[in-house]
């Protein structure tokens, strides 16, 4: 029976979030990107500029200042994205506690019946039939059980590259 112990850190959770999002986007109907949203957004911005170029001179009696209007629009969008990103970063840092169940010490063990994951808070048995795929990146290994969810294992949980390779080989063998 193979067993490893580890603690998840915020960087591991961030990498998992990126992998999960990328995996969901790749399996969805819009795997080629959100071109429709960008098209509607571009049309909306063009409509706004066209309306402003007609309405502002009629209301103010002055010619429309395209450069100033565009600079203000771009600055407004940039400020919106900066505030949204700042809020995301602030909240994502508080999503888990250092002493909570997500970042507690995990113990994973591989057995004939499945992968057992346990912490001081919970114990879960994942049957081998539930696993869909395995992804290994620079920081983490994810054993996927859903299109956007999986069992997260940091790469630093393995004593050496050979131990990681043996773990992944055993997982793939059990999955088959």
């Amino acid at each position: 029976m193979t067993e490893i112990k580890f603690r998840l850190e915020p960087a591991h959770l961030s990498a998992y979030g990126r992998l999960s999002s990328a995996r969901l986007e790749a399996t969805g109907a819009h795997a080629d990107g959100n071109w429709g949203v960008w098209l509607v957004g571009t049309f909306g911005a063009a409509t706004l500029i066209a309306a402003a170029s007609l309405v502002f001179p009629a209301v103010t009696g002055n010619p429309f200042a395209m450069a100033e209007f565009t600079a203000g629009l771009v600055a407004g969008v940039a400020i919106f994205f900066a505030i949204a990103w700042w809020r995301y970063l602030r909240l994502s840092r508080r999503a888990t506690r250092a002493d909570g169940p997500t970042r507690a010490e995990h113990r994973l063990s591989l057995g004939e019946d499945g992968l057992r994951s346990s912490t001081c808070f919970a114990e879960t048995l994942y049957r081998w039939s539930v696993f869909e795929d395995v992804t290994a990146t620079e920081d983490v290994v994810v054993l996927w059980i859903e299109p956007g969810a999986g069992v997260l294992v940091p790469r630093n949980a393995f004593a050496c590259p050979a131990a990681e390779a043996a773990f992944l080989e055993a997982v793939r063998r059990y999955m088959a």
Side-chain angles (χ1 to χ4, degrees):
M1 179 180 286
T2 304
E3 184 174 291
I4 57 173
K5 294 179 189 177
F6 59 87
R7 282 187 176 273
L8 295 173
E9 297 298 329
H12 301 134
L13 299 172
S14 180
Y16 174 70
R18 286 189 304 275
L19 284 171
S20 180
S21 293
R23 185 173 158 90
L24 284 172
E25 286 176 3
T27 60
H30 301 290
D32 57 346
N34 295 328
W35 66 270
V37 173
W38 288 105
L39 182 63
V40 169
T42 302
F43 181 73
T47 303
L48 178 66
I49 291 171
S53 68
L54 296 173
V55 172
F56 285 171
V59 171
T60 64
N62 295 323
F64 181 70
M66 179 63 89
E68 290 85 350
F69 179 82
T70 304
L73 183 65
V74 168
V77 169
I79 290 168
F80 168 78
F81 278 108
I83 290 171
W85 187 247
W86 174 77
R87 182 176 187 274
Y88 165 77
L89 289 177
R90 185 174 51 85
L91 293 177
S92 67
R93 282 191 291 261
R94 298 185 339 194
T96 61
R97 297 184 316 270
D99 62 345
T102 302
R103 293 176 49 200
E105 182 179 81
H106 290 255
R107 177 175 283 146
L108 286 185
S109 56
L110 307 180
E112 293 294 328
D113 57 342
L115 180 131
R116 189 172 304 281
S117 173
S118 61
T119 69
C120 60
F121 298 102
E123 188 168 322
T124 305
L125 173 65
Y126 298 95
R127 304 266 183 226
W128 290 116
S129 59
V130 76
F131 291 98
E132 298 178 351
D133 197 9
V134 177
T135 301
T137 67
E138 184 178 321
D139 299 323
V140 297
V141 172
V142 182
L143 310 174
W144 298 103
I145 60 173
E146 296 277 355
V151 178
L152 175 63
V153 182
R155 300 254 333 250
N156 61 8
F158 302 102
C160 62
E164 178 183 351
F167 175 84
L168 291 175
E169 180 182 322
V171 166
R172 288 187 175 108
R173 187 176 63 248
Y174 283 126
M175 285 173 58

